[in-house]
Amino acid sequence: MKPPMLLFWIFAVPVHTFVLQPSVNVTVLQNVSVEGDLWAERRLDQLMEALNTGKEKRSEEKATVQGVDEETDTVHSKRTEEHDIRKTESEKQTRGHTESDVIKKEVKEKEDQQGQNLSDAFSTKPVLTAWNSTYLQEVEGEEHLPPTVNQYTTSPALHLLKESVTLPPSSPSTSQRQATAETLSIITNNALPSKTTVETTIHHIVNTSTAEATTLLVNESSTIDDLRVELHVTNGSKLHLVEEVRAGPTAKAPPGTFMAKLPKKAAGAKLKDNTTLKAKKKKANKGKVKKTTKVLKKAKKVKKFKRERKLKPTTPSYFPYFEDHYCPSECSCYGRVVQCSDKYLGKIPYGIPYNSRYVLLMNNHIDSIQLNLLSEYDSMEFLVLSNNRLTDASIEGAFEGIQSLKRLYVERNLLRSIPTDLPVTLEELRLDGNQISVMSDEAFGRCPGLLILSLSNNSLGNKSSTIPPGVLLPLGKLRTLTLSYNQLSSVPLQLPLSLQELYLRGNRIQSLQGDMFWGVAELQVLDLSANRLTNKGLGKAALLNASNLESLNLEGNSLKQVPHNLPGTIKTLNLEGNFISSITKDAFISMPQLEHLGLARNKITKVALGAFRVLPLLHQLDMSHNALQQVPRQLPLWLHSATFANNKIHAIPRDAFCWGRGNESPLSRLVKVHLEYNMIDLGHLDTLAFRCLRGFQVVQFY
């Protein structure tokens, strides 16, 4: 009858000790003689006590195993945390974020730790202790560790299965008997990785004293290159190797190999293993030295690069300055429009993109322009430098070479003369609000294509000086000239015939001379308001060549009557703010195209009958703020708006708005009639005076 198979468990704990502890074997005596009944009872009692003792021992062993498991879990968690920390540090090293000093320190610590682990591994000797029901022996084994050992692993449990096998006749033993039950516990300090390949190793251990073979089924979890479990069971403390099994191809790091004291024949193998271990250790150390050298070289390069970057001067001469997508921090960019206004800037911001079309720099403190800066802007069409602190010297040569500039605004600065380096492409130049007092031919000879020139609020004509005749003739395409609010006493002579609009408001002009234009001019708008013109100053030849004039503003002068000999093409005539006291019947007979007439703020007390009847196209009439006592008679039927407010009117004649043959008159086109602030008595109004109006709502009395 075969003895029962017993399952032995192997627990891995950090103690270099093998404990072979037997279970209690109870032998039941079946054939007992009558004489030995008493002895049998005693023997039975002894066996029961032994059985109880075995149970207590097993309980103690179970408690011990539980304690070992808890310690194993604690060690596993600590090692896992250390593994995570070292993994993070390794990742930082690979990214190049560590300095050379830190790398040296970590390499040194790792080498010291590995050296200490190796020394501990070689100096530790596990003890193999075996108990049997017939004998007790202790065998000391020697642990051999390869150079590299995985430090951060868990301790798996190995399962050994022992079964009795009958040896063949060639076995050294000739007798067979039942082997006593044994418990084999192998406790090792080698840590194996948690994620491993599970393999099964079968060892046959021969007990020469019992002539039986024991089969060990070992479940291993490892990542080792070479795993050897060498167990030898002999009768006299000598262990003979029966079978040696290697781990699978997925193994990575070999654990310690426990070997008992070898016989003399195995001494050579032991020396060979020691030599192999030393060679492997030397090779590993050499690889570490090479890796450390590469890391140190890389750290030196990083340190050198950072030092060079700190020493490199930060000059604003490279990308992204002046690039298309760049915008200076002081400005706001909208496509190709750069807005740098109202920023209290002292200089033009550096790096404005070269492809900018509109550059706005008004309302700053700019007092100079860098030489040759603006000439690089080939696409710039509009430049505004208004309300700054530029002088003649600070802008000398600044505008020369700008290829596409069409509009230049340098208003409200400190200029005393017109710049002489204007680009050829310039079409609009505004220099209002400076201190310009002189004009020269050289200034305008460089920009013959100029269309608009504005020089208002300057000092032209100061100290009885006048603008030289013909100074503007180089501007053959000039269309608009603004010389308002200067100190001119006369209109400049020999103006370009291409001029269409001339604004001379707020000067000291007393008369117009006939040679203002040499030839028929294209002048359409003439503003001579707020000057000192008199009727004598507007002679017959004053506007002889202005045959295309449509708008004439003579407001705020010293006229005492409506000027005669005005061009018949005039459509808008403003005579407000003069000293006109009466309107004669033929005052507007030479202006049949007049549409807008302003006579407000005069001293008109009398208007001749039918004075406005000769104006068939008149749409708007303003006679407010005068001294009229009644509404003028026979106003044009096509009049749209009539203003007579702020007069002394107390009567409205029947033929003021509605007149014609008999009592029938055509319907008036009046929309608004302003009669506010007069002396009209509504109780005595003649209702027939409004018979042709569209309704009483047209007339405003209040």
Side-chain angles (χ1 to χ4, degrees):
M1 180 177 180
K2 292 184 180 181
M5 298 178 63
L6 301 178
L7 181 62
F8 298 89
W9 297 87
I10 298 177
F11 301 94
V13 295
V15 180
H16 304 280
T17 307
F18 288 94
V19 180
L20 184 61
Q21 189 171 0
S23 63
V24 178
N25 187 11
V26 181
T27 305
V28 181
L29 301 178
Q30 297 179 355
N31 300 320
V32 182
S33 61
V34 177
E35 294 89 358
D37 290 339
L38 182 60
W39 178 87
E41 291 177 357
R42 292 178 180 176
R43 182 60 179 167
L44 184 60
D45 294 337
Q46 291 178 359
L47 292 175
M48 294 301 293
E49 290 177 359
L51 183 61
N52 294 332
T53 303
K55 289 182 179 180
E56 293 176 357
K57 288 183 178 181
R58 283 195 295 273
S59 300
E60 293 176 357
E61 290 173 0
K62 187 176 182 180
T64 303
V65 170
Q66 291 179 354
V68 170
D69 290 340
E70 293 176 356
E71 294 178 359
T72 303
D73 295 337
T74 303
V75 173
H76 171 60
S77 61
K78 290 183 179 179
R79 290 179 177 177
T80 303
E81 292 176 358
E82 295 176 358
H83 175 66
D84 295 337
I85 294 173
R86 292 181 178 271
K87 185 177 180 181
T88 303
E89 294 176 353
S90 177
E91 291 177 354
K92 289 183 179 179
Q93 289 180 0
T94 57
R95 294 174 185 173
H97 294 293
T98 56
E99 296 292 336
S100 60
D101 296 339
V102 178
I103 295 173
K104 291 180 181 179
K105 187 175 180 180
E106 291 181 356
V107 171
K108 186 175 181 181
E109 290 178 355
K110 287 184 179 180
E111 292 178 353
D112 295 341
Q113 185 175 359
Q114 291 178 358
Q116 185 176 359
N117 293 337
L118 291 173
S119 63
D120 293 340
F122 282 106
S123 62
T124 305
K125 295 182 178 181
V127 179
L128 178 63
T129 305
W131 286 274
N132 200 299
S133 58
T134 57
Y135 65 90
L136 174 65
Q137 64 179 9
E138 294 184 359
V139 182
E140 291 186 356
E142 186 172 359
E143 181 183 4
H144 297 271
L145 293 174
T148 58
V149 180
N150 194 347
Q151 301 286 341
Y152 314 102
T153 56
T154 58
S155 301
L158 307 179
H159 303 281
L160 285 77
L161 180 63
K162 179 180 179 182
E163 62 179 345
S164 297
V165 180
T166 304
L167 296 176
S170 61
S171 176
S173 177
T174 59
S175 62
Q176 297 183 2
R177 63 181 180 178
Q178 296 290 333
T180 60
E182 297 177 354
T183 302
L184 179 62
S185 301
I186 298 177
I187 304 174
T188 178
N189 70 329
N190 289 313
L192 301 178
S194 58
K195 297 180 180 179
T196 57
T197 301
V198 180
E199 299 184 1
T200 302
T201 305
I202 299 176
H203 293 272
H204 295 280
I205 302 176
V206 180
N207 191 334
T208 57
S209 63
T210 61
E212 294 176 355
T214 301
T215 300
L216 299 181
L217 179 61
V218 182
N219 290 332
E220 299 173 345
S221 299
S222 62
T223 57
I224 59 176
D225 295 328
D226 188 10
L227 174 61
R228 295 187 301 169
V229 180
E230 301 178 359
L231 296 176
H232 305 264
V233 180
T234 60
N235 190 24
S237 300
K238 292 184 179 181
L239 304 179
H240 297 283
L241 177 63
V242 177
E243 183 178 3
E244 179 178 325
V245 181
R246 293 180 178 272
T250 58
K252 293 183 180 179
T257 302
F258 297 97
M259 299 179 63
K261 291 184 178 180
L262 301 177
K264 294 181 180 180
K265 293 182 179 180
K270 180 178 178 181
L271 293 175
K272 186 177 180 180
D273 292 340
N274 290 338
T275 305
T276 303
L277 292 175
K278 290 181 180 179
K280 289 183 178 179
K281 182 178 179 181
K282 185 176 180 181
K283 187 176 180 180
N285 291 336
K286 188 176 180 180
K288 291 180 181 178
V289 170
K290 289 183 179 179
K291 186 180 292 185
T292 304
T293 304
K294 291 181 180 179
V295 173
L296 292 176
K297 288 182 179 179
K298 187 175 181 180
K300 288 181 179 179
K301 290 181 179 179
V302 172
K303 190 174 182 180
K304 183 179 179 181
F305 175 75
K306 290 183 177 180
R307 184 170 62 253
E308 291 178 353
R309 186 171 61 182
K310 289 181 180 179
L311 296 176
K312 190 175 181 180
T314 56
T315 56
S317 60
Y318 57 90
F319 178 85
Y321 295 99
F322 304 104
E323 294 295 332
D324 296 351
H325 61 277
Y326 177 74
C327 184
S329 58
E330 305 92 341
C331 307
S332 300
C333 300
Y334 310 94
R336 300 176 68 179
V337 178
V338 181
Q339 171 62 271
C340 306
S341 305
D342 302 284
K343 303 295 182 180
Y344 303 101
L345 301 175
K347 302 288 183 182
I348 296 178
Y350 193 88
I352 295 177
Y354 284 138
N355 72 331
S356 301
R357 293 183 61 187
Y358 302 94
V359 181
L360 311 180
L361 294 165
M362 71 278 281
N363 304 328
N364 286 291
H365 298 159
I366 299 174
D367 55 4
S368 64
I369 300 176
Q370 299 90 319
L371 190 63
N372 299 327
L373 173 63
L374 300 178
S375 60
E376 299 293 335
Y377 292 87
D378 298 336
S379 302
M380 185 170 59
E381 299 178 2
F382 187 18
L383 176 61
V384 181
L385 291 167
S386 303
N387 198 19
N388 281 282
R389 301 176 181 177
L390 297 172
T391 61
D392 296 336
S394 63
I395 65 171
E396 185 176 358
F399 307 114
E400 188 173 3
I402 305 178
Q403 298 181 4
S404 302
L405 188 63
K406 295 181 179 180
R407 302 168 65 187
L408 176 60
Y409 291 5
V410 198
E411 305 164 298
R412 297 185 299 280
N413 280 273
L414 305 175
L415 302 179
R416 293 182 177 274
S417 62
I418 298 174
T420 58
D421 56 351
L422 299 174
V424 180
T425 58
L426 195 63
E427 296 180 356
E428 181 178 359
L429 176 61
R430 294 188 179 274
L431 299 173
D432 308 287
N434 284 277
Q435 302 174 8
I436 299 174
S437 58
V438 295
M439 298 174 65
S440 62
D441 299 338
E442 184 182 1
F444 303 110
R446 299 175 61 90
C447 49
L450 194 65
L451 301 177
I452 300 173
L453 176 61
S454 183
L455 293 168
S456 62
N457 289 286
N458 278 281
S459 301
L460 292 172
N462 189 20
K463 298 181 180 179
S464 301
S465 62
T466 59
I467 298 176
V471 69
L472 297 175
L473 283 178
L475 304 177
K477 298 181 180 181
L478 188 65
R479 294 184 178 181
T480 303
L481 176 61
T482 303
L483 297 173
S484 301
Y485 298 102
N486 280 276
Q487 301 179 20
L488 298 174
S489 58
S490 63
V491 178
L493 303 179
Q494 301 179 15
L495 296 175
L497 298 178
S498 61
L499 196 63
Q500 296 179 1
E501 300 179 10
L502 177 59
Y503 299 93
L504 294 167
R505 179 182 177 88
N507 281 278
R508 302 175 181 177
I509 300 174
Q510 298 179 359
S511 62
L512 292 179
Q513 299 179 5
D515 54 354
M516 183 172 60
F517 295 101
W518 280 12
V520 178
E522 299 179 7
L523 188 65
Q524 298 177 4
V525 178
L526 177 59
D527 186 0
L528 291 168
S529 60
N531 278 279
R532 301 177 181 179
L533 287 171
T534 61
N535 291 96
K536 186 178 180 179
L538 293 173
K540 293 182 180 181
L543 298 173
L544 181 62
N545 293 327
S547 58
N548 296 314
L549 188 63
E550 295 181 357
S551 177
L552 177 60
N553 188 357
L554 296 174
E555 176 191 359
N557 281 276
S558 301
L559 301 175
K560 293 183 178 181
Q561 60 183 6
V562 177
H564 297 282
N565 304 317
L566 295 179
T569 57
I570 293 178
K571 296 180 180 180
T572 302
L573 177 61
N574 188 356
L575 296 173
E576 299 177 359
N578 283 277
F579 299 96
I580 300 173
S581 58
S582 63
I583 305 296
T584 61
K585 189 175 182 177
D586 57 349
F588 306 104
I589 195 170
S590 62
M591 295 176 281
Q593 299 183 16
L594 192 62
E595 298 177 359
H596 304 276
L597 177 60
L599 293 170
R601 297 191 305 279
N602 278 278
K603 298 180 178 180
I604 301 173
T605 58
K606 184 180 179 180
V607 177
L609 179 62
F612 303 110
R613 187 176 178 179
V614 295
L615 301 175
L617 301 178
L618 187 63
H619 293 160
Q620 183 177 358
L621 174 63
D622 187 1
M623 297 188 70
S624 59
H625 296 278
N626 279 279
L628 294 174
Q629 296 183 0
Q630 66 176 13
V631 176
R633 300 173 63 182
Q634 295 184 0
L635 294 174
L637 296 177
W638 42 87
L639 191 64
H640 291 173
S641 174
T643 303
F644 301 102
N646 297 96
N647 279 274
K648 299 178 180 181
I649 298 174
H650 57 81
I652 300 176
R654 284 187 178 184
D655 58 350
F657 307 112
C658 306
W659 54 274
R661 293 182 180 180
N663 294 328
E664 297 180 359
S665 61
L667 188 64
S668 176
R669 298 181 182 180
L670 279 170
V671 177
K672 288 290 183 183
V673 177
H674 295 277
L675 291 170
E676 299 94 336
Y677 306 104
N678 281 282
M679 304 172 64
I680 299 174
D681 186 1
L682 298 180
H684 295 82
L685 278 177
D686 187 356
T687 57
L688 294 177
F690 310 102
R691 64 187 181 274
C692 64
L693 299 182
R694 299 175 184 271
F696 282 100
Q697 68 274 12
V698 174
V699 182
Q700 302 291 330
F701 293 100
Y702 302 102

